Amino acid sequence: KYSHLTNNSISKHAEGFEEEKEETMWHSEEFREYLMTLEKEDEDPWAQRVQPLMKMAVLRSLEAAQENVVHRASSFELFGYDFMVDQDLNVWLIEINSSPDLSYSTSTTKQLVKAMIEDMMTVVLDVEKFGSRLDRPKRKWGSCRVNSGRFQLLEAARRRREEKFPKLRKDAQYLAVQGTGLKLRKPKKGECPRGQNAEDDPRHSASALLAATEQLDEETEEAWHEEEEDSEEDD
């Protein structure tokens, strides 16, 4: 049986907690310095392994739940993620809070919460122009210089692709597909020379095409990052 012992809401009930509470929580930079003292393959385990795995968990969890998110106009939401890192530097997602605690439980949270709220307002007001315009701004996401504090757009290439989609027409809700069903028949002699249960031709396989598209997206994302790094070096 396991218990979430590092959760401040549990630890604060321990005897003598008030005297030791400043020792119960680290800033991420302190954790980063600690990881660098370990004998690991990566020179900077936090930046090279732990943080990228956390970002991936955030992205995949939001993708998994996107169909269940109810759209609400003129609003945004802040989520709080709890992770656990094991001795092999594997990252495990414990839980996601839709209303994370923003109280100043320690000097660490006081520092982080203040900085997070300021950065969040920068993203909402300055980057996304929330409240000052009806549509979201279009930029060369991933390569443009945008001050978003410590927040980072995880899929810049996806954002750029979505912005190229045309706006839905007002009568789009009335669109419908009409047709008649087709009855399946047995293939005639010679129609399936490789057999009925043969694997799909990679040239026409949906799985192969999707895999190729994902690889292309990754290569495009890497190219954007390289271009951004080159532009920063030039500056």
Side-chain angles (χ1 to χ4, degrees):
K1 185 177 180 181
Y2 296 90
S3 179
H4 192 172
L5 296 178
T6 56
N7 192 325
N8 185 263
S9 61
I10 297 176
S11 302
K12 66 182 181 181
H13 298 295
E15 184 178 351
F17 174 77
E18 286 299 322
E19 292 76 15
E20 303 291 338
K21 69 176 182 179
E22 295 300 335
E23 303 298 326
T24 64
M25 189 176 298
W26 277 356
H27 190 284
S28 58
E29 292 300 326
E30 294 178 284
F31 186 46
R32 179 178 186 175
E33 293 176 1
Y34 167 74
L35 293 180
M36 293 177 69
T37 64
L38 304 179
E39 296 181 358
K40 299 295 181 180
E41 296 180 1
D42 299 321
E43 182 179 347
D44 187 349
W46 169 260
Q48 295 175 253
R49 178 173 176 81
V50 176
Q51 193 177 48
L53 289 176
M54 288 181 173
K55 293 178 180 179
M56 183 61 67
V58 171
L59 177 61
R60 297 309 177 207
S61 63
L62 292 175
E63 286 182 336
Q66 62 183 347
E67 299 298 331
N68 299 319
V69 176
V70 179
H71 174 71
R72 294 182 298 181
S74 304
S75 65
F76 64 91
E77 190 165 5
L78 174 69
F79 294 101
Y81 279 71
D82 287 354
F83 295 100
M84 179 173 63
V85 181
D86 64 23
Q87 62 183 3
D88 296 321
L89 301 186
N90 296 311
V91 174
W92 303 89
L93 175 60
I94 299 177
E95 63 181 359
I96 306 172
N97 299 301
S98 58
S99 299
D101 182 14
L102 301 182
S103 61
Y104 299 160
S105 54
T106 66
S107 60
T108 300
T109 52
K110 182 178 182 179
Q111 178 184 356
L112 290 176
V113 168
K114 285 184 175 180
M116 183 277 298
I117 292 178
E118 183 176 344
D119 289 345
M120 180 179 66
M121 290 297 98
T122 298
V123 172
V124 173
L125 300 177
D126 298 338
V127 178
E128 296 294 347
K129 304 298 181 182
F130 188 84
S132 62
R133 53 187 295 176
L134 296 177
D135 58 333
R136 301 175 74 181
K138 295 182 179 181
R139 308 175 188 268
K140 292 183 178 179
W141 302 105
S143 62
C144 62
R145 295 178 178 274
V146 177
N147 177 23
S148 57
R150 298 186 69 172
F151 281 98
Q152 180 183 358
L153 181 61
L154 294 182
E155 277 205 325
R158 180 176 180 176
R159 175 76 177 264
R160 293 194 301 270
R161 290 197 306 270
E162 292 178 349
E163 289 180 348
K164 294 180 181 180
F165 297 160
K167 293 183 178 181
L168 294 176
R169 295 170 48 181
K170 294 182 179 180
D171 57 350
Q173 58 180 322
Y174 302 109
L175 294 178
V177 177
Q178 297 182 351
T180 57
L182 297 176
K183 293 183 179 180
L184 298 178
R185 63 173 177 80
K186 293 184 177 181
K188 296 179 180 179
K189 186 177 181 180
E191 287 184 337
C192 299
R194 301 170 59 193
Q196 297 185 38
N197 299 323
E199 295 183 1
D200 293 337
D201 188 329
R203 296 174 300 173
H204 312 296
S205 170
S207 299
L209 292 174
L210 287 173
T213 302
E214 291 180 357
Q215 183 178 358
L216 180 61
D217 289 343
E218 293 177 358
E219 293 175 354
T220 303
E221 187 72 21
E222 292 177 359
W224 273 101
H225 285 305
E226 292 177 358
E227 182 181 342
E228 182 180 6
E229 292 175 357
D230 292 340
S231 62
E232 290 179 355
E233 292 177 357
D234 294 339
D235 294 341

